[in-house]
């Protein structure tokens, strides 16, 4: 990904919304930014980093979990599917909570749920309790990202928000890096229960950090006088949904995020080890490369988006096309064993998926008033995790269907056909992006 493709595709972009280019309303308080804003963001983002560590922990423990609980691919995928399902289902309720009670309280509750779920998972020895613990973890995870975005919107000027949002995703990838480097090694050397218990106890320090140092907003933007009347929950959701930018943001998030998400959350490690014959160390190295690529694209996209809103749609369409083409080449390779250079290539491409999905949140931010930003962000943030859930489940079912009964491992050919399932949500999401893009362009004309 370079700047040049975005420029060449500029004719495809949607005109910048009026709210993104007009000056703020006279007399409206402007967030100050500066050191205090970065401190508030840093405290908030520490919770998101912790959440990503919890969320991605199963990605390096999938084979261990299958052995510990005596389950196959379909049951194994249920862990991540349920976690993602809970995460997606909680997005709108969490957005409403953030809009009404502020991000600080929601983050504190999120830390409690994350630590409780992971601690229960550490001591689970059977499938059902472990599944319930991942659901609790998913609920806590759902409370983090939207809260951090709301903190950024209150502390930073509007022009800075796209860059800060990408930095938030980049920081979260730091948590993913901890998972692929530290957690994978700890599982091998320390075992299941000590490793997951240690992760759960990290929440104590993060909870104290938020409780002591985080403020919802600087004094200059805190409301004075009696609180304004709050719209009914149903009306708030309806108003967000009627906004075309919210719906476009949801489908952008859906389409761009799920390939890298499904690979990193669950199926990447089994694919590289069982289908490609790599060692755990080699597979972990490629997953680490995925994280580093994600961080690099996050910084690049953040810089592009902070300069011009016109870069949004070219970034999205380029990432979708490159991801689809890259996987087509990998899956079509004879024998299902692509060369290392090609595997590295698709890993690098999938690194762009997460940062591109944040473009959807930027559409929602610039199209909705401040009082419903949390709700709009929650609607958009459901998209990628619904796509991830569909992909995780589809791949798991196809792997079991394409493998002999009682097989201890899945063949390269089974993985190849199962991974073709990605093109179903990819085609649906792309069609919806193109449809809503035209509708948004018509609304701006």
């Amino acid at each position: 990904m370079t700047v040049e493709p975005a420029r060449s595709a500029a004719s495809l972009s949607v005109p910048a919304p009026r709210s993104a280019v007009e000056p703020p309303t006279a007399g409206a308080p402007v967030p100050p930014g500066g050191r205090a804003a970065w401190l508030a963001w840093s405290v908030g983002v520490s919770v998101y980093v912790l959440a990503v560590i919890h969320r991605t922990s199963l990605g390096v423990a999938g084979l261990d979990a299958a052995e510990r609980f005596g389950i196959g691919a379909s049951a194994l995928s249920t862990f991540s599917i349920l976690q993602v399902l809970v995460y997606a289902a909680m997005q709108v309720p969490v957005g409403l909570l953030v809009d009404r009670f502020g991000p600080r309280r929601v983050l504190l509750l999120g830390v409690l749920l994350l630590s409780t779920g992971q601690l229960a998972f550490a001591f689970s020895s059977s499938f059902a309790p472990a599944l319930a613990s991942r659901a609790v973890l998913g609920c806590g995870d759902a409370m983090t990202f939207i809260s951090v975005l709301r903190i950024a919107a209150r502390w930073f000027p509007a022009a800075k928000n796209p860059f800060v949002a990408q930095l938030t995703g980049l920081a979260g990838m730091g948590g993913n890096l901890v998972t692929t480097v530290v957690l994978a090694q700890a599982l091998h050397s320390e075992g299941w229960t000590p490793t997951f218990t240690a992760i759960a106890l990290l929440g104590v320090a993060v909870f104290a950090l938020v409780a002591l140092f985080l403020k919802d907003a600087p004094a200059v933007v805190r409301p004075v006088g009696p609180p304004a009347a709050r719209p009914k929950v149903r009306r708030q959701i309806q108003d967000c949904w009627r906004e075309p930018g919210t719906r476009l943001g949801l489908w952008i998030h859906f389409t761009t995020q799920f390939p890298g998400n499904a690979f990193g959350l669950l199926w990447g490690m089994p694919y590289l080890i069982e289908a490609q014959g790599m060692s755990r160390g080699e597979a972990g190295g490629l997953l680490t490369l995925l994280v580093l690529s994600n961080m690099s694209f996050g910084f690049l996209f953040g810089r592009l988006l902070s300069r011009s809103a016109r870069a949004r749609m070219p970034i999205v369409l380029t990432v979708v096309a490159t991801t689809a083409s890259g996987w087509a080449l990998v899956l079509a390779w004879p024998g299902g064993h692509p060369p290392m250079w090609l595997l590295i290539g698709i890993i690098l491409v999938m690194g762009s998926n997460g940062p591109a999905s944040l473009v959807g949140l930027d559409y929602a931010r610039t199209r909705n008033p401040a009082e419903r930003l949390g709700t709009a962000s929650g609607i958009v943030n459901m998209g990628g995790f619904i796509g991830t859930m569909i992909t995780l489940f589809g791949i798991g079912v196809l792997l079991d269907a394409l493998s002999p009964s009682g097989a201890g491992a899945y063949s390269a050919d089974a993985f190849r056909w199962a991974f073709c399932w990605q093109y179903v949500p990819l085609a649906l999401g792309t069609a919806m992006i193109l449809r809503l893009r035209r509708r948004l362009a018509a609304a701006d004309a």
Side-chain angles (χ1 to χ4, degrees):
M1 174 73 64
T2 64
V3 178
E4 188 59 34
R7 289 175 179 168
S8 63
S11 60
L12 299 176
S13 62
V14 179
R18 296 179 181 89
S19 58
V21 296
E22 290 180 353
T25 304
V30 178
R35 291 182 180 179
W38 286 112
L39 176 61
W41 174 82
S42 298
V43 174
V45 87
S46 68
V47 184
Y48 180 56
V49 172
L50 179 68
V52 172
I53 294 173
H54 286 297
R55 180 196 307 168
T56 58
S57 58
L58 194 61
V60 297
L63 297 178
D64 301 85
E67 181 179 351
R68 181 180 178 88
F69 303 122
I71 55 178
S74 296
L76 180 60
S77 65
T78 304
F79 278 120
S80 294
I81 290 168
L82 179 62
Q83 182 178 331
V84 171
L85 176 63
V86 171
Y87 184 102
M90 285 295 295
Q91 288 305 294
V92 173
V94 167
L96 291 166
L97 287 173
V98 170
D99 285 338
R100 278 160 171 72
F101 300 108
R104 180 178 176 273
R105 294 179 182 179
V106 177
L107 284 174
L108 288 171
L109 179 58
V111 174
L112 288 175
L113 291 172
L114 284 167
S115 298
T116 300
Q118 194 70 283
L119 194 61
F121 191 64
F123 288 94
S124 296
S125 57
S126 58
F127 180 66
L131 197 62
S133 69
R134 297 307 287 188
V136 174
L137 194 152
C139 189
D141 186 9
M143 298 184 173
T144 59
F145 188 66
I146 294 175
S147 298
V148 178
L149 290 183
R150 188 59 184 270
I151 289 169
R154 288 181 170 183
W155 280 90
F156 290 96
K160 199 84 171 176
N161 269 269
F163 183 61
V164 176
Q166 290 292 342
L167 282 183
T168 303
L170 191 153
M173 287 302 99
N176 202 337
L177 198 60
V178 171
T179 301
T180 57
V181 176
V182 179
L183 180 59
Q185 180 60 37
L187 274 171
H188 179 71
S189 60
E190 303 298 328
W192 182 280
T193 299
T195 299
F196 286 110
T197 299
I199 300 173
L201 293 179
L202 284 175
V204 176
V206 175
F207 185 93
L209 191 66
V210 174
L212 293 173
F213 298 108
L214 181 62
K215 295 180 180 178
D216 280 333
V220 69
V221 298
R222 289 177 197 161
V224 295
R230 291 171 176 166
K232 293 182 178 180
V233 169
R234 182 178 178 182
R235 174 65 182 274
Q236 180 137 334
I237 295 173
Q238 287 176 338
D239 288 345
C240 286
W241 186 252
R242 288 193 186 105
E243 171 53 57
T246 304
R247 299 198 302 276
L248 176 60
L250 181 146
W251 283 106
I252 288 173
H253 203 272
F254 175 98
T255 311
T256 54
Q257 191 189 64
F258 78 84
N261 224 15
F263 195 86
L265 279 176
L266 183 61
W267 291 122
M269 186 73 81
Y271 171 75
L272 296 172
I273 293 175
E274 296 187 350
Q276 303 306 319
M278 295 184 182
S279 66
R280 279 180 175 265
E282 291 170 332
L286 283 186
L287 290 180
T288 302
L289 181 62
L290 175 63
V291 175
L292 294 175
S293 175
N294 195 302
M295 296 171 76
S296 300
F297 276 109
F299 184 78
L300 172 62
F301 291 171
R303 300 299 297 177
L304 292 174
L305 292 168
S306 65
R307 292 174 183 173
S308 173
R310 290 183 175 274
R312 294 184 298 189
M313 192 54 66
I315 285 174
V316 169
L317 296 178
T318 302
V319 167
V320 170
T322 307
T323 302
S325 302
W327 270 115
L329 188 57
V330 170
L331 298 176
W333 200 269
H337 294 283
M340 180 60 74
W341 65 264
L342 186 52
L343 289 173
I344 291 174
I346 191 61
I347 292 287
L348 292 174
V349 167
M350 283 193 294
S352 67
N353 293 170
S357 72
L358 298 182
V359 175
L361 290 160
D362 196 51
Y363 272 104
R365 181 187 61 80
T366 57
R367 295 280 175 169
N368 287 275
E371 60 270 17
R372 64 175 194 236
L373 274 183
T375 307
S377 297
I379 292 173
V380 171
N381 211 34
M382 287 193 305
F385 293 93
I386 293 173
T388 299
M389 179 179 60
I390 293 170
T391 306
L392 289 171
F393 182 71
I395 290 175
V397 169
L398 287 171
L399 278 175
D400 280 343
L402 294 167
S403 301
S405 179
Y410 301 101
S411 67
D413 203 47
F415 269 106
R416 177 164 62 170
W417 287 107
F419 274 32
C420 287
W421 172 255
Q422 295 177 94
Y423 286 95
V424 175
L426 196 64
L428 171 63
T430 303
M432 292 303 297
I433 289 172
L434 296 176
R435 173 175 171 267
L436 288 166
R437 170 181 162 272
R438 287 192 296 268
R439 181 171 296 183
L440 197 62
D444 284 337

